Amino acid sequence: MTSLATLLPEPLDLGGYRAGTPQRAGALTMVPVYGPARPGIVPPRSGLKLKRVVGYGQVELSNGAREGVAIVPLHIGYIQDAAQNHALCASALLGAGQTRRFDDACCVQAAQGGYLEGRDQWFFVLPAELRASALALRGQHNYSKLWDEISELNRACGLPSRGHLEQILSRRRATLTQFQSRLELMPGQLGALFFLGDRFAGLELAPDPVYFAEVWTALVCFAYGVAAWRAEPEPEEARPYEAESLAELRAELARDRAVRLAEVASWMPAPARDVRMVEEERYLDLRLSTLTAGGLAGQVVTEHGRPVYASVFTTR
Amino acid sequence: MDTPTLLQHFRTHDVPLVLSRSGEPVWDDAELHRTAQLSDPEGYALLALVPGVLPWQRARVLLRTLAATQDGLAERTRATLAKATRALMFGLPPAYALTVLLALRRLRANHKHVTRAVVAFVLEHPEADALIEARRPALVDCFEHALGKTTARACARLITEAAGTAGSDGGDTGRYLRRSLLRFTADPVLAAKRVRALYAPGTYGVPAPQEPPAPLDPVREYPPIVTPTNRGDIAATLVHLYQGGPVAELRPALAGYVARATRGLPRLDASVAMVLDTSGSMRGYGEREWALMSQAVALRLVLAEVCDRFTVVETGGTEQAPAGSADLAGGLLDALGTGPDLVVVVTDGYENHLPGDLARVAATLPGAGVTTPVVRCLAAFTKGDDLTLRDPAPGLPGQAFWHQDDFAGLLAWMFAHCAPGVNWIRATMLGRLEGGRT
């Protein structure tokens, strides 16, 4: 496994975290990340609840756990039938039992009436194509602020050019959700590096494996799956190895795999320059900051300088 | 006879057998059938009885088997062919079987076994009364072809007259009827009644029976909503075990269900290695949790009972704790290392550990001097699963399965790929004809 010490810009240090064996599904490569867990953080599916939508662009979340702070995953969104789906532009920290209203949420379903309620909901993370814009628009009270980007994404997907993210997330759900099986969550995994083709797409880091397992589907199927689905390569004809015995075949396979693993390692981005870290909020010793660097953006939660949560993606 | 290729053709080539206006039967795969029948008449006919063979392919086998001469065949083989012919005739929808009989007429096939088959179909069909009402002209054509027009009409006249002069079935008339017709039937009284109906005035617009009177494949009723526990007894019991159900109650039941599923099946005199995908996705998520793994393990338990020598190579986690990614290529190499006669790769089709490796390894095997057949069995949740992205090695023969009822056809299909499996299919189908397991 490969050390990730220099992947994130200073002062963030991923020393102690290690990259595992890459997995590939079409254009999407996922490298599992292992490392020290930070127990006690409330995970998003079992602890965090969408309480209600107060008005368009105003979403109320609550941390229903008896103890533990909840880290709201960056760009989490909720889908529900017959209601306007919303997504958040930023991450947040919610103490146990705390309810908080986000007035800068974006509607992701233009012209759909109705408010989301706390029933029958499932969550996603905004597709990578929208994340830089969404992050840049945090703090702006305008529920339709992402509709142009969503329309553009729909058009790029060959769908009607509308501000309905649901066109992709729901109608293509059967295809997108296959990514959670095409790429397997590994035991003990608490993060992942994602690559589209040979380009770094993002780093996702969770406090512990339970938290990561709960956000896994939303990340792999929707945050990175949409771009991977768009870039799905045509199946290639299998080229035989040059081997004249079973032993030679085994050796050829091992050699070829080593080459491909080394190739993935070469896709790692160089340490970023011109890094800016802006603290957005804090909860006791946890600090939520927005990170921008050359070609990278995202948010990280640190504790005593050590990353606890990170969602960092390319902006190019 | 290339059994795996032929069986695959039987299961996939769904093109009707058509009688052209010129009278010749039209079938695009006639040469394949002719070659197979000539090389092994009995094995060819028995192969058509394998569950999952398409009705139009069974019709072709029926046609080819009846149209061919049986000169030179052993008495035992002829007896088997007679039973297979009967099973096919009554296992097909009546319209399909009738097309075959009409084709035989066009081909002027007038072997004795054709006469027996046609007389049996026309006079002994379980729904003969309804069939005669609905398809009288076609059945008369077949009947007269089988016996000869003059003989058939003479028989009909004599039977009608005998009915008018009750009891005069002795003497020359009785001898003539016995020699010409009744010796081909099991129930002379019923035969006479149906011959009279055959030559009686018809009724316009009577609907013909559509369903086969003795279906060759078990009639399956698919649940409207598929759940992990309504896909067969073995898988359902396994799901309860995986979910922490009472072991003392479930384990004996599981053994009973496996015994019931394999009862009457012959042993496969071969060494079979299974590569079992035990990755996280085989466990599944939400409402489908355990569905794929339970059915894959059900297949594993059945194979363990049927195969003389059986090895399993798990890749990912374990059967009880599926986790991680599947290295199907590595698993295949490990399985081949055990020196099997057949390798069966059972997976959900998601090759996580560097996809494409299984296909490349499989493509390399012939050049590496490995001739062991490798097949892949794709575990699905329902028969409607989208498998587009779930084919890790398109070059390998593949078959999907989702229900325990699929096993009968699946076992025959996978065993067909190894030499001992051909004998297994023959023994299994002969057992069916003898009234054993169906």
Side-chain angles (χ1 to χ4, degrees):
Chain A
M1 290 198 291
T2 311
S3 170
L4 298 174
T6 60
L7 181 66
L8 286 183
E10 289 183 359
L12 296 169
D13 180 9
L14 288 183
Y17 290 91
R18 292 287 181 272
T21 306
Q23 297 176 36
R24 195 173 293 173
L28 185 61
T29 297
M30 185 276 296
V31 181
V33 172
Y34 306 89
R38 195 298 194 180
I41 301 293
V42 176
R45 192 178 64 217
S46 48
L48 194 63
K49 296 293 175 205
L50 168 76
K51 200 166 180 184
R52 62 184 179 131
V53 171
V54 183
Y56 292 123
Q58 296 176 312
V59 171
E60 214 170 74
L61 297 188
S62 70
N63 174 1
R66 288 187 175 180
E67 55 183 324
V69 60
I71 299 177
V72 178
L74 180 58
H75 297 145
I76 192 171
Y78 289 88
I79 297 256
Q80 193 176 63
D81 284 344
Q84 195 163 58
N85 305 320
H86 279 74
L88 300 188
C89 293
S91 179
L93 304 170
L94 267 67
Q98 188 179 346
T99 295
R100 179 160 153 197
R101 196 171 92 183
F102 296 85
D103 292 329
D104 63 344
C106 357
C107 296
V108 292
Q109 200 174 14
Q112 167 71 48
Y115 293 148
L116 283 173
E117 297 171 5
R119 60 178 166 79
D120 300 333
Q121 52 189 244
W122 57 274
F123 73 82
F124 62 93
V125 170
L126 281 175
E129 295 90 331
L130 303 174
R131 299 189 76 183
S133 299
L135 186 64
L137 292 167
R138 70 191 185 284
Q140 286 191 22
H141 298 187
N142 171 10
Y143 64 88
S144 63
K145 58 193 173 187
L146 213 53
W147 287 358
D148 287 345
E149 281 81 0
I150 295 172
S151 296
E152 196 176 319
L153 179 59
N154 275 322
R155 196 163 46 243
C157 292
L159 296 166
S161 176
R162 302 189 300 166
H164 282 241
L165 194 55
E166 159 268 348
Q167 285 188 151
I168 299 172
L169 301 189
S170 295
R171 293 187 196 174
R172 305 290 170 180
R173 194 176 173 188
T175 302
L176 295 174
T177 51
Q178 287 193 58
F179 279 105
Q180 70 180 321
S181 297
R182 296 174 73 185
L183 298 173
E184 298 277 12
L185 180 68
M186 300 299 289
Q189 179 180 355
L190 50 59
L193 295 159
F194 289 96
F195 299 87
L196 276 164
D198 58 0
R199 295 184 53 161
F200 175 74
L203 163 72
E204 303 292 336
L205 201 64
D208 60 42
V210 173
Y211 185 111
F212 191 71
E214 291 202 4
V215 81
W216 166 250
T217 300
L219 288 173
V220 75
C221 300
F222 304 117
Y224 297 98
V226 173
W229 161 61
R230 292 171 58 201
E232 184 75 40
E234 287 295 317
E236 289 179 8
E237 193 164 335
R239 288 178 294 108
Y241 291 109
E242 289 187 11
E244 294 182 352
S245 69
L246 211 51
E248 282 186 28
L249 173 53
R250 195 182 281 276
E252 274 298 295
L253 178 66
R255 185 197 56 75
D256 183 44
R257 282 180 168 178
V259 169
R260 279 179 285 159
L261 295 184
E263 186 185 26
V264 174
S266 74
W267 298 340
M268 295 288 230
R273 297 173 186 170
D274 307 325
V275 181
R276 285 197 305 142
M277 288 271 288
V278 178
E279 183 179 322
E280 304 270 353
E281 58 182 84
R282 64 175 60 183
Y283 187 95
L284 300 179
D285 290 335
L286 296 171
R287 306 280 183 273
L288 169 64
S289 306
T290 297
L291 177 153
T292 49
L296 289 178
Q299 290 194 313
V300 294
V301 175
T302 56
E303 188 177 41
H304 309 302
R306 192 184 77 80
V308 172
Y309 168 88
S311 184
V312 178
F313 45 86
T314 53
T315 55
R316 291 172 182 151
Chain B
M1 190 170 77
D2 179 356
T3 303
T5 304
L6 194 60
L7 184 55
Q8 184 66 11
H9 181 82
F10 283 3
R11 294 166 63 102
T12 53
H13 192 72
D14 194 11
V15 178
L17 180 67
V18 179
L19 297 181
S20 70
R21 284 184 178 276
S22 65
E24 287 296 309
V26 178
W27 43 328
D28 55 345
D29 49 355
E31 184 54 27
L32 179 73
H33 279 263
R34 192 186 72 82
T35 311
Q37 191 276 332
L38 283 175
S39 69
D40 180 4
E42 185 182 276
Y44 169 74
L46 290 174
L47 199 62
L49 304 178
V50 168
V53 171
L54 297 167
W56 277 123
Q57 287 297 327
R58 286 181 169 145
R60 286 159 159 81
V61 173
L62 179 61
L63 173 59
R64 183 62 217 172
T65 299
L66 286 171
T69 178
Q70 293 186 353
D71 287 351
L73 295 183
E75 199 53 45
R76 217 176 110 256
T77 306
R78 290 183 188 213
T80 301
L81 291 179
K83 286 177 185 168
T85 298
R86 195 176 174 88
L88 287 168
M89 271 196 318
F90 295 144
L92 282 169
Y96 288 47
L98 198 47
T99 301
V100 171
L101 302 190
L102 289 168
L104 288 165
R105 175 174 174 268
R106 303 275 173 87
L107 293 171
R108 301 180 190 280
N110 54 5
H111 309 294
K112 199 65 79 186
H113 56 268
V114 173
T115 303
R116 284 199 189 90
V118 174
V119 170
F121 184 82
V122 176
L123 305 182
E124 295 176 6
H125 194 283
E127 293 186 79
D129 294 333
L131 208 52
I132 288 170
E133 277 298 300
R135 301 295 305 270
R136 180 172 279 107
L139 288 169
V140 167
D141 277 356
C142 296
F143 186 66
E144 293 186 348
H145 161 244
L147 296 184
K149 186 186 284 185
T150 309
T151 306
R153 291 184 179 181
C155 288
R157 181 174 51 77
L158 290 172
I159 285 170
T160 308
E161 288 172 1
T165 59
S168 62
D169 60 350
D172 290 346
T173 300
R175 276 193 293 278
Y176 180 82
L177 284 175
R178 268 194 300 279
R179 188 177 69 245
S180 307
L181 171 66
L182 300 180
R183 69 187 173 110
F184 298 120
T185 69
D187 185 345
V189 176
L190 188 62
K193 172 177 169 268
R194 285 180 171 160
V195 169
R196 280 195 296 276
L198 200 58
Y199 284 90
T203 312
Y204 179 76
V206 175
Q210 301 293 317
E211 299 302 319
L216 289 168
D217 296 344
V219 178
R220 297 170 57 164
E221 288 184 9
Y222 295 110
I225 297 174
V226 178
T227 71
T229 55
N230 65 3
R231 302 150 78 246
D233 289 331
I234 303 176
T237 310
L238 284 165
V239 169
H240 290 302
L241 274 169
Y242 295 146
Q243 290 175 337
V247 175
E249 184 175 71
L250 294 171
R251 278 286 168 200
L254 179 64
Y257 292 134
V258 173
R260 189 197 296 171
T262 55
R263 190 173 300 140
L265 287 178
R267 299 279 292 178
L268 177 73
D269 180 19
S271 175
V272 174
M274 172 191 273
V275 179
L276 180 58
D277 180 348
T278 47
S279 63
S281 57
M282 284 292 285
R283 175 173 177 154
Y285 306 88
E287 293 173 350
R288 298 183 176 194
E289 192 175 26
W290 293 116
L292 301 192
M293 181 54 81
S294 63
Q295 205 60 272
V297 173
L299 179 62
R300 171 186 184 161
L301 294 172
V302 166
L303 285 172
E305 285 296 308
V306 172
C307 302
D308 268 356
R309 298 169 297 284
F310 184 57
T311 313
V312 179
V313 176
E314 294 181 342
T315 173
T318 63
E319 170 198 324
Q320 287 85 7
S325 64
D327 178 5
L328 296 176
L332 173 58
L333 291 175
D334 291 346
L336 286 167
T338 66
D341 299 298
L342 173 70
V343 178
V344 180
V345 180
V346 179
T347 174
D348 58 4
Y350 297 116
E351 186 183 18
N352 325 106
H353 190 84
L354 299 174
D357 283 3
L358 179 66
R360 287 197 74 181
V361 165
T364 310
L365 292 178
V370 180
T371 55
T372 309
V374 181
V375 299
R376 63 189 158 79
C377 297
L378 208 59
F381 181 60
T382 70
K383 63 173 181 169
D385 279 16
D386 179 2
L387 304 177
T388 312
L389 297 170
R390 294 171 58 181
D391 192 350
L396 291 177
Q399 190 67 43
F401 68 103
W402 71 277
H403 196 287
Q404 188 179 317
D405 290 348
D406 292 334
F407 288 1
L410 188 66
L411 257 56
W413 171 81
M414 63 172 80
F415 293 168
H417 290 82
C418 65
V422 176
N423 290 332
W424 185 89
I425 293 172
R426 189 181 294 252
T428 305
M429 296 309 133
L430 279 171
R432 289 185 72 178
L433 288 178
E434 297 302 332
R437 182 190 178 82
T438 55

